[in-house]
Amino acid sequence: MEEKQQLNEAFFTLDEKNIMDKLGTSREGLSSDEVQRRLEQYGHNQLQEEEQKGLIAKFFDQFKDFMIIVLLVAALVSAAFGDVADAVIILLVVVLNAVMGVFQENKAEQAISALKSMASPEAHVRRGGRVESVKSTEIVPGDIVLLEAGDVVPADVRFLDAASLKIEEAALTGESVPVEKKVGVISDPETGIGDRTNMGFMSTNVTYGRGEAVVVGTGMNTEVGKIADMLNTSEQTMTPLQRNLDRLGKYLTIAIIVVAVVMFGVGLYQGREWLDMLLIAISLAVAAIPEGLPAIVTIILSIGTQRMAERKALVRNLPAVETLGSTDVICSDKTGTLTQNKMTVEKVYYNNEFHDDEEGVGLDNPLLRATTYANDTNITADGTLVGDPTETALVQYALDKGLDLEAQLEKEPRVAEVPFESDRKLMSTIHRLSDGRFYVATKGAPDVLIDRCTHIDLNGEVVPFTEELRQKALEANHDMATQALRVLAGGYKYSDAVPEKVNTETVEHDLVFAGLTGMIDPERPEAKDAVRVAKRAGIRPVMITGDHRDTAQAIAQRLGILEEGQGVLTGPELQQISDEELVRKVNDVSVYARVSPEHKVRIVKAWQNNGKIVAMTGDGVNDAPSLKTADIGVGMGITGTEVSKNASDMVLADDNFQTIVFAIEEGRKIFSNIQKAVQFLLSANLGEVITLFVATLLGWTILEPVHILWINLVTDTFPAIALGMEPAEQDVMDHPPRGKGATFFSNGVFPSILYQGVLEGGLTLFVYWWATNNPVHAGDPELVHLDALTMAFATLGLIQLFHAFNVKSIKNSLFQVGPFRNKPFNWAVLLSFVLLAMVIFVPGLNDFFHVAPLNGEQWLAVLLTSFSIIPIVEVVKFFIRKFDKED
């Protein structure tokens, strides 16, 4: 049977009769035949993946990049000139990049697989009047599902009955406190997911109570299914590094073609053989291609990855190591990322005054006793607290104060209770005391409990609860609520007997007011400092959460995210704003509350449309689409779901927001070091191009292809890799992000490449001219040419080794940054020098490379000319710094 579209109704706005009619079901459930028919119609209750490309197709897609094409041309040229080893190395680099690209493309598939694994394996349903256990994948719309504490909601459901039912939805909505579920109709069809209290959602967890519900959506028609669809259809954004490499590849391709064609044309104009000119043009193209650049970038990123792993930041996508360094905005989830995802008592009110947590509460305090007795938290054998987060927070607070709760309850056991009900917002327990009396403990909503109190406990003395004292208690409640604290009141009384009927009318009256407790999911201790450092680095932190407005605003203010003049926007308000208006307004908003997964993606895109590079942190299923949409997604390793981790580029193994600060610093350092490597390689290659081009114009035969390939492979590659290990410059976190428009050529790199390349080419040509005009083997033109060729080859190689010291800093003096601080760099330069010298000194090798040993005078000329690039560049840097200060 052809698959049929499921109903897409706002079921939370309908009453039970309408729901049952639309779904064609009843409280007795569906018959077996009807279940089978609906399975064929709607399909199984599981998430679908988009059709994926095969591995071969993915592999060949990687070769569409400009830089890869340039490298393939380089490999062909190298092979054409007989340098098979060089061609093989280049091809290995290309294949390695392609394999890495294929690996990264599998992230979306992994995210969907993780979503699938979250589904409940089995569920209890009523079918044909009988309750049975079935696989969650076989549930269909119209099924009647029975839920209790510990169950995973198997599909999207509308509740028909709910007894003290609470469901933890943090992974979907971001709200840290379990949601209390009700049966009543919600009239507003625009109500957000977090406020649909009569609905249950696939893959969320029942923490308290029980309920009966009808299935209204399965598979891809669930809220989690919509997230899966967003993951399937969201576009993978290019990182700044990938954009830079792509742009560099295009520039190089155009430059190489233009210069090679001009060179070929000039030669033909001079009357030279077309075949000779073709070979020279190809030599020039080889000189212009930085064969080792992709490999060098990969190695520098890998080194950064290892350093970050040591600090608990695990990188899943290599270019992401650098991306954080260019981040303008960090959109952070609140629950579990900026906060501890653990309700904690922060403030208490008793004896008619506030007491901060650090002041402590005595073990005989009536508030402590009332709120821990009227409490269903279980303490396991290993000391773990199991139960509602609000109740466990109260018990943990008491345990922290030294109260031996288990021993107390053994002495004063619970003999009766009035369970919590959402309508009356109270819970009471009755305990037998050693003197034969009974102790009644009550906790609940302050406004409700205060109305049932006739007395108040003041310093151990029970006195009448006067209107003045009542108003002070209500003001204290209001004061804590405005600080986004979740407030519960405690009360008690003594009774001579347990009522025959234990209910709210017989128990919850004439209470003694004990006080108020204010709880909150507190911010992480290190998060505030991380926010401060991010702001100092010019990065805008933005909080995006599914929690309530007041809570989000309070936490954001405490962390320093929300400053004066910056606004708070809720999901329903966001729903009324167009994408265009959001792009204009996004700069003025620092906190978003009660948002859905779709809203998070809109916010990230709005920042991106303002030209900003956006990082998104998160740990829930609801964060996955925005993590994938952002320029870099940062998942949480401990509290994070597999979905969020698989959708991320980087995972914080310790869930520590502070680790992001280190990642930002490391990212900035890595970009700076890649920039240095690019400056070094391109200035060296430009020097080679100028040498060949001018020599051709002058009719000189200088630098054969084998010379250029050896210099590019040996004297370029090792120092360039070692430049990636340069330590960060001291002010790396004291300037704003470089922004989306920044390239490898920014910050003065491009003019440096130009003048330094010209300098390298000029010095090499000077040495060749000097050698031909001061011949050692006068009268033998062939030996004179061989000496001049050897000196030009040695000079160009050594110039590049000396020049590697210059690029340790673009503007600062070599002696300020320290010429020998980087030990791997020192060894790399030494190794390159030895390999360069071997070609000249070792018999057989020098014949293969068409060079000859030089005498002392020739070596002195080569060394002095090569070394001169350091003082010349130092003088230029001095004037650059001087002009910068004047500006």
Side-chain angles (χ1 to χ4, degrees):
M1 184 179 292
E2 187 179 348
E3 188 173 318
K4 180 182 173 184
Q5 185 68 36
Q6 293 185 30
L7 292 175
N8 191 20
E9 299 271 348
F11 285 101
F12 56 90
T13 64
L14 305 177
D15 59 24
E16 182 177 332
K17 184 179 185 307
N18 279 326
I19 294 169
M20 295 303 204
D21 289 345
K22 283 182 178 292
L23 292 171
T25 187
S26 70
R27 287 274 191 151
E28 296 299 304
L30 303 170
S31 66
S32 298
D33 291 342
E34 181 62 18
V35 168
Q36 192 58 43
R37 188 183 72 80
R38 294 191 184 194
L39 269 176
E40 292 174 1
Q41 270 192 325
Y42 301 126
H44 283 79
N45 179 32
Q46 59 189 22
L47 303 178
Q48 300 170 357
E49 297 181 31
E50 65 177 350
E51 190 174 341
Q52 302 292 335
K53 292 181 181 178
L55 281 177
I56 295 176
K58 289 179 183 177
F59 181 77
F60 282 107
D61 277 348
Q62 308 304 314
F63 293 91
K64 295 176 181 178
D65 182 76
F66 259 107
M67 196 65 184
I68 297 300
I69 294 170
V70 171
L71 282 170
L72 289 173
V73 171
L76 289 173
V77 171
S78 299
F81 283 102
D83 199 329
V84 178
D86 199 51
V88 169
I89 290 171
I90 296 170
L91 287 173
L92 282 175
V93 170
V94 170
V95 172
L96 177 64
N97 285 341
V99 169
M100 288 175 59
V102 170
F103 177 77
Q104 295 306 327
E105 277 192 25
N106 290 325
K107 282 197 300 177
E109 297 166 47
Q110 294 170 1
I112 301 300
S113 298
L115 278 168
K116 281 185 172 182
S117 70
M118 286 184 63
S120 170
E122 289 192 343
H124 298 289
V125 298
R126 186 183 297 120
R127 288 177 175 171
R130 295 176 54 192
V131 175
E132 53 187 274
S133 180
V134 300
K135 290 181 179 179
S136 63
T137 56
E138 295 177 359
I139 285 177
V140 296
D143 260 328
I144 303 300
V145 179
L146 308 178
L147 296 167
E148 59 183 23
D151 288 345
V152 176
V153 181
D156 280 9
V157 300
R158 167 70 155 83
F159 288 108
L160 307 175
D161 290 321
S164 303
L165 183 64
K166 293 184 181 181
I167 297 182
E168 194 268 313
E169 297 177 345
L172 184 64
T173 66
E175 185 171 0
S176 52
V177 178
V179 179
E180 188 180 318
K181 296 298 180 180
K182 304 173 184 177
V183 176
V185 172
I186 297 172
S187 58
D188 184 5
E190 298 298 322
T191 301
I193 296 173
D195 295 314
R196 295 177 193 172
T197 52
N198 57 12
M199 296 286 292
F201 304 106
M202 186 179 188
S203 301
T204 57
N205 301 293
V206 181
T207 61
Y208 196 83
R210 57 183 174 78
E212 184 173 320
V214 58
V215 175
V216 297
T218 60
M220 296 299 287
N221 204 51
T222 62
E223 293 299 329
V224 171
K226 292 174 185 175
I227 292 175
D229 186 58
M230 291 168 67
L231 285 171
N232 277 332
T233 56
S234 64
E235 296 179 6
Q236 187 71 43
T237 55
M238 288 182 72
T239 69
L241 181 65
Q242 290 167 328
R243 282 194 292 269
N244 269 313
L245 285 173
D246 186 59
R247 194 179 301 145
L248 180 60
K250 291 175 182 176
Y251 290 160
L252 282 175
T253 301
I254 294 168
I256 290 166
I257 292 171
V258 169
V259 174
V261 169
V262 169
M263 172 79 81
F264 184 74
V266 167
L268 292 181
Y269 178 76
Q270 291 176 337
R272 301 174 69 169
E273 286 290 329
W274 73 269
L275 185 57
D276 289 341
M277 287 314 306
L278 179 62
L279 291 174
I280 291 171
I282 291 174
S283 299
L284 187 139
V286 173
I289 298 170
E291 293 93 340
L293 181 58
I296 289 165
V297 169
T298 300
I299 291 167
I300 291 174
L301 292 174
S302 299
I303 293 167
T305 299
Q306 293 168 10
R307 285 175 54 84
M308 292 174 75
E310 292 170 4
R311 296 285 293 270
K312 308 297 184 183
L314 310 177
V315 177
R316 302 181 68 251
N317 182 5
L318 269 185
V321 182
E322 174 271 341
T323 306
L324 266 179
S326 60
T327 298
D328 298 289
V329 181
I330 297 179
C331 292
S332 177
D333 181 46
K334 178 184 74 69
T335 306
T337 306
L338 291 166
T339 64
Q340 299 175 29
N341 197 18
K342 181 178 70 176
M343 292 300 289
T344 305
V345 174
E346 184 167 284
K347 188 166 287 207
V348 290
Y349 176 86
Y350 61 93
N351 292 336
N352 206 25
E353 62 183 0
F354 281 110
H355 301 263
D356 290 330
D357 174 35
E358 58 267 17
E359 293 180 33
V361 178
L363 298 184
D364 58 348
N365 185 279
L367 176 61
L368 195 70
R369 189 183 186 194
T371 53
T372 52
Y373 276 42
N375 197 307
D376 286 331
T377 297
N378 291 317
I379 305 175
T380 63
D382 63 356
T384 304
L385 303 183
V386 179
D388 179 88
T390 304
E391 291 195 325
T392 58
L394 294 168
V395 171
Q396 186 63 57
Y397 182 68
L399 296 176
D400 290 343
K401 299 304 173 189
L403 177 64
D404 189 349
L405 184 60
E406 290 179 293
Q408 286 286 101
L409 289 174
E410 278 185 21
K411 288 191 235 175
E412 301 172 347
R414 183 188 300 188
V415 295
E417 65 182 282
V418 186
F420 174 85
E421 289 179 2
S422 57
D423 291 340
R424 75 177 206 287
K425 300 179 180 178
L426 294 174
M427 171 189 182
S428 296
T429 57
I430 303 175
H431 301 259
R432 180 183 293 111
L433 303 180
S434 57
D435 61 3
R437 292 188 304 161
F438 294 91
Y439 172 79
V440 178
T442 303
K443 79 171 191 315
D447 53 341
V448 177
L449 190 142
I450 286 172
D451 280 347
R452 303 199 180 203
C453 293
T454 56
H455 291 74
I456 182 172
D457 191 313
L458 292 178
N459 296 305
E461 183 182 353
V462 176
V463 299
F465 202 15
T466 63
E467 187 59 31
E468 182 183 354
L469 292 173
R470 189 182 301 270
Q471 285 304 315
K472 281 191 175 182
L474 290 171
E475 286 172 9
N477 173 46
H478 176 74
D479 187 38
M480 283 197 276
T482 55
Q483 297 174 50
L485 299 177
R486 183 179 175 84
V487 188
L488 283 179
Y492 71 94
K493 68 177 180 179
Y494 292 95
S495 176
D496 292 329
V498 177
E500 287 187 18
K501 289 186 177 181
V502 178
N503 55 40
T504 184
E505 287 79 15
T506 60
V507 174
E508 294 168 342
H509 61 85
D510 298 327
L511 298 171
V512 177
F513 179 70
L516 305 168
T517 58
M519 291 165 282
I520 198 168
D521 177 14
E523 67 272 21
R524 287 177 171 272
E526 70 281 352
K528 187 171 185 177
D529 187 57
V531 168
R532 181 186 58 78
V533 174
K535 285 188 169 184
R536 178 164 60 87
I539 299 164
R540 172 79 175 271
V542 175
M543 179 192 288
I544 305 177
T545 178
D547 218 334
H548 291 279
R549 181 190 191 116
D550 290 345
T551 306
Q553 183 171 335
I555 291 293
Q557 286 174 334
R558 286 159 62 154
L559 287 170
I561 290 175
L562 187 64
E563 296 181 346
E564 193 174 341
Q566 296 174 350
V568 180
L569 205 61
T570 64
E573 292 168 342
L574 193 59
Q575 197 70 33
Q576 306 302 318
I577 298 175
S578 67
D579 289 341
E580 293 74 18
E581 189 178 349
L582 181 58
V583 170
R584 292 192 298 271
K585 195 170 185 176
V586 74
N587 282 289
D588 301 323
V589 181
S590 287
V591 177
Y592 297 86
R594 304 305 279 171
V595 295
S596 67
E598 295 91 342
H599 294 149
K600 293 186 177 188
V601 172
R602 283 185 65 198
I603 295 162
V604 169
K605 286 185 175 179
W607 277 110
Q608 289 173 331
N609 288 335
N610 272 289
K612 303 297 183 182
I613 293 172
V614 183
M616 172 74 191
T617 71
D619 61 352
V621 178
N622 60 318
D623 297 316
S626 51
L627 285 169
K628 190 179 176 189
T629 301
D631 295 285
I632 177 169
V634 183
M636 299 294 138
I638 298 174
T639 60
T641 60
E642 286 304 308
V643 185
S644 64
K645 284 185 269 189
N646 285 334
S648 299
D649 300 293
M650 184 174 79
V651 176
L652 304 183
D654 57 358
D655 283 16
N656 191 335
F657 192 79
Q658 186 81 34
T659 307
I660 297 175
V661 176
F662 171 77
I664 290 170
E665 181 177 355
E666 188 67 22
R668 290 189 174 189
K669 186 190 82 172
I670 285 170
F671 181 83
S672 175
N673 287 347
I674 291 175
Q675 208 174 27
K676 291 169 186 175
V678 168
Q679 179 186 344
F680 173 64
L681 289 173
L682 295 189
S683 59
N685 286 18
L686 180 59
E688 294 166 14
V689 169
I690 288 172
T691 301
L692 282 170
F693 189 79
V694 174
T696 301
L697 292 178
L698 296 173
W700 298 347
T701 303
I702 183 173
L703 293 178
E704 297 179 6
V706 69
H707 299 151
I708 297 167
L709 287 169
W710 187 252
I711 287 171
N712 284 356
L713 189 64
V714 173
T715 62
D716 283 5
T717 303
F718 297 130
I721 292 171
L723 283 169
M725 302 179 195
E726 282 292 307
E729 296 188 40
Q730 293 182 348
D731 62 346
V732 70
M733 292 297 283
D734 292 333
H735 53 79
R738 60 182 181 273
K740 216 162 198 170
T743 69
F744 290 135
F745 299 134
S746 301
N747 197 32
V749 170
F750 185 67
S752 296
I753 289 172
L754 290 180
Y755 89 80
Q756 289 162 9
V758 169
L759 189 57
E760 288 188 33
L763 290 172
T764 305
L765 288 166
F766 166 76
V767 166
Y768 184 87
W769 171 84
W770 183 88
T772 55
N773 285 275
N774 296 275
V776 174
H777 303 91
D780 190 338
E782 192 173 326
L783 287 179
V784 170
H785 173 66
L786 186 61
D787 284 348
L789 195 66
T790 303
M791 288 182 69
F793 169 66
T795 300
L796 186 59
L798 287 175
I799 279 177
Q800 294 180 10
L801 294 183
F802 284 121
H803 181 52
F805 287 90
N806 287 326
V807 298
K808 282 173 170 279
S809 179
I810 297 167
K811 296 178 181 177
N812 291 325
S813 169
L814 168 64
F815 305 102
Q816 282 181 293
V817 297
F820 304 112
R821 283 176 60 200
N822 184 352
K823 289 183 179 179
F825 177 83
N826 301 335
W827 285 110
V829 170
L830 182 60
L831 175 63
S832 295
F833 174 76
V834 169
L835 291 172
L836 183 67
M838 280 174 54
V839 168
I840 298 172
F841 285 110
V842 176
L845 271 180
N846 50 27
D847 291 336
F848 177 78
F849 278 89
H850 310 294
V851 293
L854 303 174
N855 64 23
E857 183 185 2
Q858 290 171 321
W859 271 117
L860 182 62
V862 167
L863 288 169
L864 287 175
T865 306
S866 303
F867 180 77
S868 68
I869 196 168
I870 289 181
I872 294 171
V873 171
E874 281 292 313
V875 169
V876 175
K877 285 183 181 179
F878 171 78
F879 285 108
I880 289 173
R881 292 194 299 272
K882 186 176 180 181
F883 290 138
D884 282 348
K885 286 180 181 178
E886 289 177 1
D887 291 342

